[in-house]
Amino acid sequence: MNWIKVIPQEELPPNGRKVVKVEQRNILLLNHNNQVFAVENSCPHLKLPLQKGKITDDGAIICPFHRSAFDLNSGNPTTWTPFPPGIGKVMGMISKEKGLSVFPTRVEEGSIWVGV
């Protein structure tokens, strides 16, 4: 694994989010409950951006387009394409259920690092 320094810690305040480019990937950094998470900034369903997705109290990010939800720690889907009603199930068949890529993070010397 290669650790890459991405941004100063102060650029990601509590409940903040920021997309950074790391080795040709757009990675979404999230500061949720004083923990830094790093996930691929595209939903594995149709590759749409997750940057504006809602974060749930139990630590999942919800895709703003088809409302698939993914655990921030593991990337495992907790819900797969429930939206729009009726059509969501058909949309889910376009792409088989798959997890979101997550990356380890650490805060060191005032900077956020991502492992890729």
Side-chain angles (χ1 to χ4, degrees):
M1 178 181 321
N2 191 22
W3 286 96
I4 298 173
K5 183 170 27 173
V6 290
I7 60 170
Q9 183 178 6
E10 67 264 8
E11 285 187 26
L12 193 67
N15 301 314
R17 53 184 76 200
K18 184 173 183 104
V19 176
V20 295
K21 190 86 154 180
V22 179
E23 294 188 350
Q24 307 304 316
R25 293 179 151 194
N26 289 320
I27 294 179
L28 175 60
L29 299 175
L30 302 158
N31 186 344
H32 177 66
N33 290 338
N34 296 314
Q35 186 174 353
V36 176
F37 296 93
V39 299
E40 192 84 42
N41 187 38
S42 64
C43 178
H45 174 229
L46 292 176
K47 306 298 182 204
L48 297 169
L50 289 173
Q51 183 175 4
K52 296 188 187 233
K54 179 184 175 190
I55 306 299
T56 65
D57 291 338
D58 61 349
I61 187 166
I62 300 173
C63 175
F65 299 97
H66 299 111
R67 301 190 187 152
S68 294
F70 304 91
D71 181 275
L72 289 174
N73 287 300
S74 67
N76 292 334
T78 58
T79 306
W80 190 251
T81 67
F83 188 82
I87 300 171
K89 292 195 184 280
V90 174
M91 296 287 297
M93 291 187 277
I94 292 171
S95 177
K96 289 169 70 175
E97 186 174 313
K98 47 191 137 183
L100 176 66
S101 294
V102 297
F103 305 91
T105 62
R106 69 181 189 213
V107 177
E108 195 173 276
E109 299 174 2
S111 294
I112 296 172
W113 297 69
V114 174
V116 291

